[in-house]
Amino acid sequence: MTKRQKRTTVVEGRGPRGRRPGEGSQPARMRRRVGHAERSAVGEVRRELREFLRHRSGQEQTDAAELLVSELVTNALIHTRHGAVVTATATSARLRVEVQDFASEDLPAPYVPNADDGTHGRGLILVRSLADAWGVEAQALGKTVWFELHGGRP
């Protein structure tokens, strides 16, 4: 990370009377900008998401969210040259994670990789398998790939 790049994580959403988000009706939100050259940011985003979900979600949902956000952030950093913004929004009923990139390339689509692809091409297949819902939304500049996991803290 250069001196000009700033690592910023924002967590919003204190509920009424200081309750933790997810305990009331207010959603909690985590937001993190990831620079294109920050390959180590994938692990940092995982840790920040785990901490964000610590009191908001069960272990199984947290594990799935960490895996899926790793896949989406990695894709954004590998396939674009402009970095990404990761946003997680948690309520008592749902977790939604969005990874927005700023490339004007085509929208991604999952495909079945052949045996010679090594580890390439499996990220969106994992997202499709583990998420309760997922999708891709075109933006004015770039796209947002998102997933949702339903059911908050048990």
Side-chain angles (χ1 to χ4, degrees):
M1 181 163 48
T2 66
K3 287 183 180 180
R4 298 187 79 181
Q5 292 175 323
K6 254 192 338 191
R7 183 178 313 159
T8 307
T9 301
V10 178
V11 178
E12 305 170 352
R14 273 270 175 210
R17 298 190 186 129
R19 286 183 288 187
R20 290 180 192 264
E23 293 176 348
S25 60
Q26 294 282 25
R29 194 165 281 115
M30 178 195 92
R31 186 174 171 91
R32 167 88 192 287
R33 170 101 173 125
V34 180
H36 170 67
E38 284 187 84
R39 298 285 190 223
S40 65
V42 175
E44 293 168 6
V45 169
R46 283 176 68 111
R47 283 187 292 280
E48 290 171 17
L49 183 63
R50 181 182 326 119
E51 181 62 26
F52 173 72
L53 294 175
R54 185 167 48 140
H55 298 291
R56 296 178 178 94
S57 181
Q59 188 63 47
E60 187 175 318
Q61 186 181 54
T62 298
D63 292 345
E66 283 185 62
L67 174 61
L68 299 182
V69 78
S70 294
E71 294 296 333
L72 296 187
V73 172
T74 299
N75 284 351
L77 296 181
I78 288 174
H79 299 294
T80 71
R81 291 186 172 88
H82 305 287
V85 174
V86 179
T87 305
T89 305
T91 66
S92 59
R94 174 185 81 151
L95 168 67
R96 181 180 175 104
V97 176
E98 300 175 347
V99 179
Q100 180 181 6
D101 66 42
F102 304 97
S104 58
E105 300 165 3
D106 293 333
L107 298 178
Y111 70 97
V112 178
N114 63 45
D116 296 335
D117 278 346
T119 60
H120 175 72
R122 289 165 175 75
L124 290 180
I125 292 172
L126 282 171
V127 173
R128 185 172 57 187
S129 315
L130 297 175
D132 292 309
W134 78 282
V136 182
E137 298 171 358
Q139 304 295 324
L141 178 60
K143 65 190 162 300
T144 300
V145 183
W146 58 270
F147 67 85
E148 291 181 358
L149 299 172
H150 300 159
R153 184 136 184 103

